[in-house]
Amino acid sequence: WHLIIDGPGLGIEIPQVVAFVNHVMDNLSKIEGFRLKEISTVHGIPRVQSNLIEIMPWVSSVIHAEIEEKITMIMKVEFEVEQRLRSLNLDINGKPLNYE
């Protein structure tokens, strides 16, 4: 689906977000003429920009909102996991933090 990017593409580097976007883009790339401009965050809030409004004007905002909502949930879970691990002096991989 990387061939359908007309812009910066995915600007969020959280592995679970990347996996989710891969799944979504596999489906959206089947829509003839679909082009992704960008998926990024603005002040920590995910934003999706594509040409769906031109192809499917009545449902594009619903699709974008759903993707943004799911990414927000993934990011919240990742943040919570990271905070809990940090409280146990562990990094995101479960390895002890080394404060030097």
Side-chain angles (χ1 to χ4, degrees), residues 65-79:
E66 187 69 21
I67 294 169
E68 291 166 356
E69 182 181 316
K70 298 290 191 242
I71 291 173
T72 298
M73 183 59 66
I74 293 168
M75 290 172 57
K76 285 181 181 180
V77 168
E78 284 300 302
F79 179 76

Side-chain angles (χ1 to χ4, degrees), residues 1-87:
W1 63 267
H2 290 78
L3 299 175
I4 61 168
I5 297 175
D6 270 347
L10 181 59
I12 304 171
E13 296 181 11
I14 299 170
Q16 287 73 15
V17 171
V18 173
F20 170 72
V21 170
N22 278 332
H23 176 71
V24 170
M25 288 303 132
D26 282 344
N27 291 315
L28 288 177
S29 66
K30 295 174 185 171
I31 299 171
E32 188 174 330
F34 174 76
R35 294 286 180 255
L36 173 68
K37 292 177 183 148
E38 182 175 22
I39 298 177
S40 61
T41 58
V42 176
H43 302 294
I45 300 169
R47 293 288 178 240
V48 176
Q49 296 177 4
S50 76
N51 70 337
L52 264 184
I53 195 159
E54 299 161 13
I55 299 169
M56 306 167 72
W58 301 106
V59 296
S60 62
S61 63
V62 173
I63 292 170
H64 283 180
E66 187 69 21
I67 294 169
E68 291 166 356
E69 182 181 316
K70 298 290 191 242
I71 291 173
T72 298
M73 183 59 66
I74 293 168
M75 290 172 57
K76 285 181 181 180
V77 168
E78 284 300 302
F79 179 76
E80 181 66 26
V81 167
E82 189 175 320
Q83 292 298 340
R84 288 183 184 190
L85 286 170
R86 192 172 293 146
S87 74

